[in-house]
Amino acid sequence: MCGIVGYIGDRKAFPILVNGLKRLEYRGYDSSGVALAQDGEIAVYKKQGMVVAMEEHALANNTSGSTGIAHTRWATHGQPSDENAHPHVSNSGNLVLVHNGIIENYQSLKDLLKGKGYTFHSETDTEVLVNFIEYVQKEEGCKLRKAVRLALTQVIGAYAVCIYDKNRPEEIVVAKLGSPLVIGLGVNEKFVGSDATPFLEYTKDAIYLEDGEMACLTAEGEVSIRMIESDVSVDPTIHALQMDLESIEKGGYDYFMMKEIYEQPRAIYDTFRGRLLPEQGMIKMSGLEEYADKFRNADRIIMTACGTSWHSALVAEYLFEEFARIPVEVEYGSEFRYRNPIIRKNDIVIAISQSGETADTLAAIKMAKAAGAMVFGICNVPGSTISRETHAGAYTHAGPEIGVASTKAFTSQVTVLTMMALELGKIRGEFSTSEYRALINELSVIPKKVEKVLESKEHIEKISGLYKDASNALYLGRGVNFPIALEGALKLKEISYIHAEGYPAAEMKHGPIALIDENMPVVVVAPNNGHYEKLVSNVQEVKAREGKVIAIVTEGDTEVINSADHVIEIPETLEALTPLLTVIPLQLLSYYIAVMRGCDVDRPRNLAKSVTVE
Ligand code: F6R
């Protein structure tokens, strides 16, 4: 939610800031803005809408400064507008700030400032923060760094901030609590980003600021980090970034989402590479090995996540219970954190998050840790907050996922979780070597089978054309493919704005069947597995009410094919691995429908890729 960029050095800041914002647009795209230090003044350019709108507006003016900060917004306080766009300038005109997060006590701070004569031009909490810092600076008669520190000790909420003073543009102050912030270290220049993508072409050396830390940045000086509360100095850890530029560009595809759907064979392969060893008939996951005893003796696993990551946890629930015979509970981060859950000493919490920044998942982790649980993280973004907050973990190696709708991150999560379920089954002595080996061998060929599913692209595009004007859709599945029905429905609603619901197929009779008529597309995930016969009956029930059935079936299907209106085939695989194949046609279906409806697939309305507010 919201992306921030900063630059201080000897180049022109504007192109660096704008390119950085474009890469961070996945974090929010309601409005954007830059502030540049030039001619002893702060030049601020802001516009509602996408970054290009602001860029055009700014380029008609002077953009020569070499210190600057910039922001792309996902509105929290105040609707999207030019006024509410960041950066925000303080009443004196000296300080300028961008902010990602929420200041929860902004109203009381605003009241205090109003009492002191401050005026406000936007509805944002950010404008309150910049003025509060100015107020503290005046009261204390101190430098900006100290004012930021003292002000932040009185702030309740989450923030990543980037601020400078027009009278001292040779220094930018940054601080973080709850929202991500990375500093890029160049030669005689520094960069700031909500993630590292804004400065990938300039440096691979980065410092991930931790919660409660702040730093002063000058073009040439060392980065000095201090704790906000205690003012104690902290030694920075410099990380070498592994990402390359190519991985965050569209590479000839119209949308990132399509590129990422097509990257799935590679993403799944990269996720199991070096871990899944079919020749040796084994799985090696260091994060798991480290805590092998804990997993062996676990009484229960609680999985926590949000959105699509929550769906991968639901898939894993089936697999962990089947193979490792450990009871699993799957919890939305947002619910878990606000309940008073019973967490016992032999429970393990697995937190799943693509971004590694989701506020509710993060809060659930903190709560579980405080209750004494071991927390294992599954994240896609190296160095992300969740990957640092958890005791152990396993990265998915999907590469940067930029399209807001999660695709390759989902299949990579399911891959990691499948390997974990198999390995835990082995550690706990729950299944035979031959079964274990058969699953390992089959998982190793899944990337090839995903490629095969992707060959149905044109067929799926045609089907999409027939249903693009639907107002509703139902998705049905059973067993390990019930979460795939949920995921298919989520994909459709989030990018095409068609109302869709996922159900366990048997639940249809308990209500949703009333919705079925000749206008209702019903997507049935019906691979040839243990639930097949029951799904055949479910398809017939839909057809008896004139619903239109789009079925995902296994190649060589003999029964569903007779009653469904359309079938999309997946190659034969073991039941436990079908989700990695059945989800692909559902991603493509939602993609094509959204494109045909003229939706911006990569930037669906009201959404943001990284939900760092609760
Ligand atoms: C849907 C989607 C979201 C995310 C959710 C959690 O396509 O992407 O539902 O899955 O916001 O995000 P992460 O996985 O980053 O914690």
Side-chain angles (χ1 to χ4, degrees), residues 306-309 353-356 358 404-406 413 490-491 494 611:
C306 303
T308 286
S309 298
S353 172
Q354 186 286 127
S355 61
T358 301
V404 163
S406 189
Q413 288 166 348
L490 177 63
K491 287 286 91 90
E494 70 180 325
V611 186

Side-chain angles (χ1 to χ4, degrees), residues 549-577:
V549 173
I550 304 162
I552 315 299
V553 299
T554 308
E555 276 167 4
D557 178 273
T558 51
E559 293 191 52
V560 171
I561 203 162
N562 296 326
S563 25
D565 296 86
H566 315 275
V567 293
I568 303 166
E569 292 182 332
I570 59 156
E572 177 92 47
T573 189
L574 297 172
E575 177 162 358
L577 306 182

Side-chain angles (χ1 to χ4, degrees), residues 474 476 505 508 512-513 515-518 520-524 535-550 563-565:
L474 266 185
L476 306 177
M508 185 175 61
I513 200 164
L515 294 169
I516 296 176
D517 63 13
E518 70 283 7
M520 176 67 98
V522 182
V523 179
V524 185
L535 282 156
V536 170
S537 309
N538 295 138
V539 168
Q540 274 154 7
E541 286 153 13
V542 175
K543 284 313 301 170
R545 281 136 192 107
E546 297 185 13
K548 299 283 182 290
V549 173
I550 304 162
S563 25
D565 296 86

Side-chain angles (χ1 to χ4, degrees), residues 291 294 300 302 336 341-350 363-376 389 391:
Y291 283 86
K294 196 96 191 140
R300 183 176 61 150
I302 301 167
F336 189 57
I342 298 162
I343 302 175
R344 299 187 216 96
K345 103 174 168 337
N346 278 348
D347 289 340
I348 292 178
V349 173
I350 299 182
I365 291 170
K366 289 185 176 158
M367 199 258 277
K369 274 169 71 182
M374 196 282 267
V375 185
F376 190 94
E389 278 288 336
H391 296 108

Side-chain angles (χ1 to χ4, degrees), residues 1 257 304-312 352-359 361-362 378-381 386 401 403-407 409-410 413 487 490-491 494-495 604 607-611:
M1 320 250 106
M257 181 179 176
T304 185
C306 303
T308 286
S309 298
W310 185 76
H311 295 155
S312 70
I352 306 161
S353 172
Q354 186 286 127
S355 61
E357 303 294 347
T358 301
T361 308
L362 190 55
I378 297 176
C379 294
N380 192 41
V381 178
I386 291 179
E401 189 180 67
V404 163
S406 189
T407 51
F410 174 76
Q413 288 166 348
E487 174 59 8
L490 177 63
K491 287 286 91 90
E494 70 180 325
I495 60 171
L607 290 174
K609 182 79 184 154
S610 187
V611 186

Side-chain angles (χ1 to χ4, degrees), residues 51-71:
V51 173
V52 282
M54 181 277 288
E55 183 182 16
E56 273 171 25
H57 162 62
L59 283 174
N61 295 282
N62 176 7
T63 57
S64 60
S66 53
T67 295
I69 59 178
H71 187 270

